[in-house]
Amino acid sequence: MTQLDEFYAAYDRVLQKWPVEVESIDMSTAHGTTRVNACGSADHPALVLLPGAGATSTVWFANVAALARHYRVYALDLMGDVGRSVPGETSIGSVDELLDWLSTVLDGLDLPTAAMCGHSYGAMIALAYSLRNGSRVEALTLLDPNGCFGPMSPRYLLHAIPILLSPNDTRQRRFVEWETGGRELDSDWLDVLALGAAHFPKSKTIVPKRPKPAEFENFGVDTTVLLAGRGKVHNAARIESAVRAVLARARTVVLENATHHTLPMLPAAEVNEILLS
């Protein structure tokens, strides 16, 4: 078994932890085939889930049972990132192409509108998409969105440098252990994260820029921002203030014991309650 095979085996093990029936959909786009793991009744309103970088769509295993009781859930593997989405000959090369890719996926799923939730890098994409295509987003939930409302912590970035320069299994695990304060994470999902970082072929990451305050003028999407009180990617209190400065009507929630990399798995019950309220 190759190391990439080990990654896919770990991915499948985590997907098997989903306590609901899963429909795996491969959606064709101009940039390749996007894997969508869906669950919940087709009669329910749609909820699109965008994971953090390297986390894959499987990361929502602790959330989907509760969410699927109320939504038809569509969890995406981000194009160009770790997962079962398969890039085509033309990779995504700009933010506009990234957002167009997401529109193509929604079109392919026959979703003129949907609620949207993103974590970390997925939150950056969800916010950028909502600012450009607000009429297609019924509600927006951002889980510890890095780079959306303020800078990332220099200390966090310093710890991330070794992974960015030369990713491997051990460095990824040590980085997550540091950020989470040694909290116990699902071992199979940690394998997905570590093996993906070390061995999965990835395209250049396309990162939406932090929106300027003027871009939030007339922004009408109902927005909730959930922040990790013990996360190390940024200061939760400062980000909460920054959100309120540009989105006065947004709901902000600080989960005092959560860290950036434990979301959305821990504390799952509180995250689910926020997503469903």
PDB file of all heavy atoms in Angstrom, residues 217-230:
ATOM      1  N   GLU A 217     -20.825  46.896   3.187  1.00  0.00           N
ATOM      2  CA  GLU A 217     -21.960  47.801   3.093  1.00  0.00           C
ATOM      3  C   GLU A 217     -23.068  47.139   2.268  1.00  0.00           C
ATOM      4  O   GLU A 217     -22.831  46.573   1.217  1.00  0.00           O
ATOM      5  CB  GLU A 217     -21.528  49.125   2.450  1.00  0.00           C
ATOM      6  CG  GLU A 217     -20.551  49.926   3.309  1.00  0.00           C
ATOM      7  CD  GLU A 217     -20.111  51.214   2.634  1.00  0.00           C
ATOM      8  OE1 GLU A 217     -20.623  51.500   1.529  1.00  0.00           O
ATOM      9  OE2 GLU A 217     -19.248  51.910   3.204  1.00  0.00           O
ATOM     10  N   ASN A 218     -24.257  47.177   2.784  1.00  0.00           N
ATOM     11  CA  ASN A 218     -25.435  46.578   2.131  1.00  0.00           C
ATOM     12  C   ASN A 218     -25.362  45.056   2.049  1.00  0.00           C
ATOM     13  O   ASN A 218     -26.088  44.448   1.263  1.00  0.00           O
ATOM     14  CB  ASN A 218     -25.626  47.170   0.729  1.00  0.00           C
ATOM     15  CG  ASN A 218     -25.778  48.676   0.735  1.00  0.00           C
ATOM     16  OD1 ASN A 218     -26.501  49.233   1.564  1.00  0.00           O
ATOM     17  ND2 ASN A 218     -25.081  49.347  -0.175  1.00  0.00           N
ATOM     18  N   PHE A 219     -24.502  44.453   2.862  1.00  0.00           N
ATOM     19  CA  PHE A 219     -24.414  42.990   2.904  1.00  0.00           C
ATOM     20  C   PHE A 219     -25.581  42.472   3.724  1.00  0.00           C
ATOM     21  O   PHE A 219     -25.690  42.732   4.925  1.00  0.00           O
ATOM     22  CB  PHE A 219     -23.083  42.575   3.529  1.00  0.00           C
ATOM     23  CG  PHE A 219     -22.877  41.071   3.593  1.00  0.00           C
ATOM     24  CD1 PHE A 219     -22.814  40.323   2.431  1.00  0.00           C
ATOM     25  CD2 PHE A 219     -22.729  40.427   4.810  1.00  0.00           C
ATOM     26  CE1 PHE A 219     -22.611  38.947   2.486  1.00  0.00           C
ATOM     27  CE2 PHE A 219     -22.518  39.056   4.872  1.00  0.00           C
ATOM     28  CZ  PHE A 219     -22.469  38.312   3.704  1.00  0.00           C
ATOM     29  N   GLY A 220     -26.477  41.725   3.080  1.00  0.00           N
ATOM     30  CA  GLY A 220     -27.723  41.364   3.752  1.00  0.00           C
ATOM     31  C   GLY A 220     -27.848  39.926   4.180  1.00  0.00           C
ATOM     32  O   GLY A 220     -28.915  39.513   4.644  1.00  0.00           O
ATOM     33  N   VAL A 221     -26.781  39.142   4.057  1.00  0.00           N
ATOM     34  CA  VAL A 221     -26.864  37.729   4.419  1.00  0.00           C
ATOM     35  C   VAL A 221     -26.822  37.570   5.935  1.00  0.00           C
ATOM     36  O   VAL A 221     -25.948  38.136   6.607  1.00  0.00           O
ATOM     37  CB  VAL A 221     -25.708  36.931   3.781  1.00  0.00           C
ATOM     38  CG1 VAL A 221     -25.783  35.464   4.199  1.00  0.00           C
ATOM     39  CG2 VAL A 221     -25.751  37.056   2.266  1.00  0.00           C
ATOM     40  N   ASP A 222     -27.764  36.824   6.465  1.00  0.00           N
ATOM     41  CA  ASP A 222     -27.805  36.534   7.897  1.00  0.00           C
ATOM     42  C   ASP A 222     -26.542  35.765   8.278  1.00  0.00           C
ATOM     43  O   ASP A 222     -26.315  34.649   7.797  1.00  0.00           O
ATOM     44  CB  ASP A 222     -29.047  35.707   8.210  1.00  0.00           C
ATOM     45  CG  ASP A 222     -29.221  35.439   9.691  1.00  0.00           C
ATOM     46  OD1 ASP A 222     -28.622  36.162  10.504  1.00  0.00           O
ATOM     47  OD2 ASP A 222     -29.942  34.487  10.035  1.00  0.00           O
ATOM     48  N   THR A 223     -25.711  36.346   9.156  1.00  0.00           N
ATOM     49  CA  THR A 223     -24.371  35.814   9.402  1.00  0.00           C
ATOM     50  C   THR A 223     -24.141  35.508  10.879  1.00  0.00           C
ATOM     51  O   THR A 223     -24.486  36.304  11.750  1.00  0.00           O
ATOM     52  CB  THR A 223     -23.301  36.802   8.916  1.00  0.00           C
ATOM     53  OG1 THR A 223     -23.489  37.069   7.523  1.00  0.00           O
ATOM     54  CG2 THR A 223     -21.891  36.258   9.142  1.00  0.00           C
ATOM     55  N   THR A 224     -23.544  34.342  11.127  1.00  0.00           N
ATOM     56  CA  THR A 224     -23.100  33.962  12.461  1.00  0.00           C
ATOM     57  C   THR A 224     -21.603  33.669  12.397  1.00  0.00           C
ATOM     58  O   THR A 224     -21.147  32.968  11.485  1.00  0.00           O
ATOM     59  CB  THR A 224     -23.835  32.704  12.957  1.00  0.00           C
ATOM     60  OG1 THR A 224     -25.229  32.990  13.084  1.00  0.00           O
ATOM     61  CG2 THR A 224     -23.297  32.244  14.310  1.00  0.00           C
ATOM     62  N   VAL A 225     -20.866  34.193  13.349  1.00  0.00           N
ATOM     63  CA  VAL A 225     -19.425  33.949  13.423  1.00  0.00           C
ATOM     64  C   VAL A 225     -19.135  33.271  14.750  1.00  0.00           C
ATOM     65  O   VAL A 225     -19.400  33.826  15.823  1.00  0.00           O
ATOM     66  CB  VAL A 225     -18.617  35.255  13.303  1.00  0.00           C
ATOM     67  CG1 VAL A 225     -17.111  34.958  13.372  1.00  0.00           C
ATOM     68  CG2 VAL A 225     -18.956  35.977  11.997  1.00  0.00           C
ATOM     69  N   LEU A 226     -18.620  32.064  14.676  1.00  0.00           N
ATOM     70  CA  LEU A 226     -18.281  31.287  15.860  1.00  0.00           C
ATOM     71  C   LEU A 226     -16.761  31.288  16.018  1.00  0.00           C
ATOM     72  O   LEU A 226     -16.040  30.947  15.074  1.00  0.00           O
ATOM     73  CB  LEU A 226     -18.810  29.853  15.713  1.00  0.00           C
ATOM     74  CG  LEU A 226     -18.751  28.930  16.930  1.00  0.00           C
ATOM     75  CD1 LEU A 226     -19.805  27.844  16.793  1.00  0.00           C
ATOM     76  CD2 LEU A 226     -17.380  28.283  17.049  1.00  0.00           C
ATOM     77  N   LEU A 227     -16.277  31.671  17.187  1.00  0.00           N
ATOM     78  CA  LEU A 227     -14.839  31.831  17.411  1.00  0.00           C
ATOM     79  C   LEU A 227     -14.347  30.895  18.507  1.00  0.00           C
ATOM     80  O   LEU A 227     -15.053  30.622  19.479  1.00  0.00           O
ATOM     81  CB  LEU A 227     -14.526  33.278  17.788  1.00  0.00           C
ATOM     82  CG  LEU A 227     -14.886  34.316  16.715  1.00  0.00           C
ATOM     83  CD1 LEU A 227     -14.865  35.720  17.302  1.00  0.00           C
ATOM     84  CD2 LEU A 227     -13.932  34.213  15.538  1.00  0.00           C
ATOM     85  N   ALA A 228     -13.126  30.404  18.322  1.00  0.00           N
ATOM     86  CA  ALA A 228     -12.512  29.490  19.282  1.00  0.00           C
ATOM     87  C   ALA A 228     -11.773  30.293  20.352  1.00  0.00           C
ATOM     88  O   ALA A 228     -10.761  30.929  20.068  1.00  0.00           O
ATOM     89  CB  ALA A 228     -11.548  28.551  18.563  1.00  0.00           C
ATOM     90  N   GLY A 229     -12.303  30.247  21.558  1.00  0.00           N
ATOM     91  CA  GLY A 229     -11.747  31.060  22.638  1.00  0.00           C
ATOM     92  C   GLY A 229     -10.312  30.727  22.986  1.00  0.00           C
ATOM     93  O   GLY A 229      -9.555  31.593  23.438  1.00  0.00           O
ATOM     94  N   ARG A 230      -9.904  29.467  22.801  1.00  0.00           N
ATOM     95  CA  ARG A 230      -8.532  29.065  23.096  1.00  0.00           C
ATOM     96  C   ARG A 230      -7.724  28.773  21.835  1.00  0.00           C
ATOM     97  O   ARG A 230      -6.657  28.170  21.904  1.00  0.00           O
ATOM     98  CB  ARG A 230      -8.543  27.842  24.015  1.00  0.00           C
ATOM     99  CG  ARG A 230      -9.150  28.134  25.384  1.00  0.00           C
ATOM    100  CD  ARG A 230      -8.795  27.084  26.398  1.00  0.00           C
ATOM    101  NE  ARG A 230      -9.344  27.401  27.706  1.00  0.00           N
ATOM    102  CZ  ARG A 230      -9.128  26.700  28.813  1.00  0.00           C
ATOM    103  NH1 ARG A 230      -8.365  25.606  28.739  1.00  0.00           N
ATOM    104  NH2 ARG A 230      -9.659  27.045  29.963  1.00  0.00           N
TER     105      ARG A 230
END
